[in-house]
Amino acid sequence: MTTTTSTAPGLPGPAGADRTQLAASLRALRLSGMLDSLENRLAQAAEGQLGFLDFLQALCLDEINRRDSTALERRTRAAKFETDGRIENFDFTADPGIPAARIRDLANTEWVRTGQHVIISGPVGSGKTHIATAFGHQAIRAGHTVRFAATSRVLADLAGGHADGSWAHRLRAYTKPDLLIVDDFAMREFTPAQGDDLYEIVNERPARSIVVTTNRAPEEWYPLFPNQVVAESLLDRLVNNAHQITIQTGSYRARRRPAAQ
């Protein structure tokens, strides 16, 4: 007696197995990466381009790539970037005052793995936020979690937490990610409560990295804090473990402004 089998072209399979059943199994296992590429891989197998193990390996890699892409998108959304600054679209030739080699060296984000910080200082519009955001994207590509926020919004958010009792919960949004990017730091004097909140953020991130963008050099930050003990403790933790990038140039935004018609 002969038993007939229904198989994918070029591939052996159990009795009765067909595309519909295989697709249903992949769907049940939530292997959408395999499911999306199944027809293409079956066609390659039918044409003799893939052997048995090659076929299975190709499907596995499709699923891995799909999961990596989904995770990348999820981490990027969670970062809450305000712009789409990337290393690949930053114009390093715009001005000789841009320390291109230094920025490219730090773009490997190895310092995130070791819990070091980066301070980017320079005049208004010089590209500090773009560079900080680009570091964030590089860190996400390396598998790290990131959170971006302007200093004023961080302080307003935590102030709201003091008011409604959710401060500890809100604080975790800034202490949990592998990399925290604090934009426009030290633009104005801090209140005692704001100084305390900033100290708590830094203090609760002993092995996690921070990127700060600022118009002022770090030595100019101390007078902005009403409590010098808090200032000394906060800045000792931040500044003494930081790579510093100083941009000595005019407005990067102005150079990128569309020419007048």
Side-chain angles (χ1 to χ4, degrees):
M1 179 177 178
T2 301
T3 301
T4 60
T5 60
S6 175
T7 66
L11 292 172
D18 59 21
R19 281 179 169 82
T20 302
Q21 290 177 326
L22 179 56
S25 297
L26 294 177
R27 193 175 296 109
L29 292 170
R30 298 183 179 180
L31 299 174
S32 61
M34 290 185 175
L35 182 61
D36 291 343
S37 64
L38 178 61
E39 289 300 321
N40 180 53
R41 297 307 185 190
L42 287 172
Q44 290 177 320
E47 294 169 2
Q49 298 177 25
L50 296 175
F52 302 143
L53 291 179
D54 293 333
F55 174 79
L56 180 58
Q57 177 67 5
L59 280 180
C60 288
L61 288 176
D62 292 336
E63 180 63 28
I64 291 170
N65 291 335
R66 194 274 307 174
R67 293 189 182 192
D68 286 346
S69 178
T70 299
L72 182 69
E73 293 174 4
R74 182 173 62 251
R75 292 195 301 273
T76 300
R77 288 194 303 270
K80 300 184 183 299
F81 294 123
E82 295 183 358
T83 64
D84 193 37
R86 312 278 180 128
I87 285 293
E88 53 267 31
N89 59 26
F90 185 82
D91 185 3
F92 287 99
T93 65
D95 192 287
I98 297 173
R102 179 71 166 158
I103 294 169
R104 287 194 174 100
D105 284 344
L106 292 174
N108 65 19
T109 64
E110 176 65 17
W111 45 272
V112 177
R113 187 185 64 80
T114 57
Q116 297 175 318
H117 311 309
V118 174
I119 298 172
I120 307 172
S121 58
V124 173
S126 57
K128 302 185 299 297
T129 300
H130 188 134
I131 295 168
T133 301
F135 286 164
H137 280 292
Q138 293 293 101
I140 287 173
R141 291 170 182 174
H144 298 293
T145 55
V146 177
R147 177 64 189 272
F148 177 99
T151 303
S152 59
R153 294 185 181 178
V154 173
L155 295 175
D157 184 30
L158 293 178
H162 286 298
D164 65 13
S166 63
W167 180 83
H169 173 74
R170 298 189 190 204
L171 181 68
R172 283 194 292 273
Y174 307 110
T175 59
K176 186 177 179 180
D178 299 327
L179 173 61
L180 173 66
I181 302 173
V182 182
D183 198 30
D184 290 333
F185 184 77
M187 292 190 68
R188 57 181 65 88
E189 293 184 0
F190 300 113
T191 67
Q194 290 173 338
D196 290 346
D197 284 344
L198 289 171
Y199 170 80
E200 290 297 334
I201 289 174
V202 175
N203 189 54
E204 291 297 316
R205 297 181 57 84
R208 293 188 174 99
S209 298
I210 299 173
V211 171
V212 168
T213 72
T214 178
N215 298 332
R216 304 173 188 261
E219 57 268 22
E220 300 175 7
W221 295 351
Y222 289 85
L224 302 179
F225 291 85
N227 186 325
Q228 290 302 296
V229 175
V230 170
E232 184 67 33
S233 298
L234 185 160
L235 299 179
D236 177 69
R237 288 168 169 78
L238 180 60
V239 177
N240 291 333
N241 189 32
H243 301 275
Q244 296 199 32
I245 297 174
T246 302
I247 302 175
Q248 299 174 330
T249 179
S251 175
Y252 180 81
R253 283 195 294 268
R255 288 192 298 273
R256 292 173 62 86
R257 185 183 302 136
Q261 300 298 319

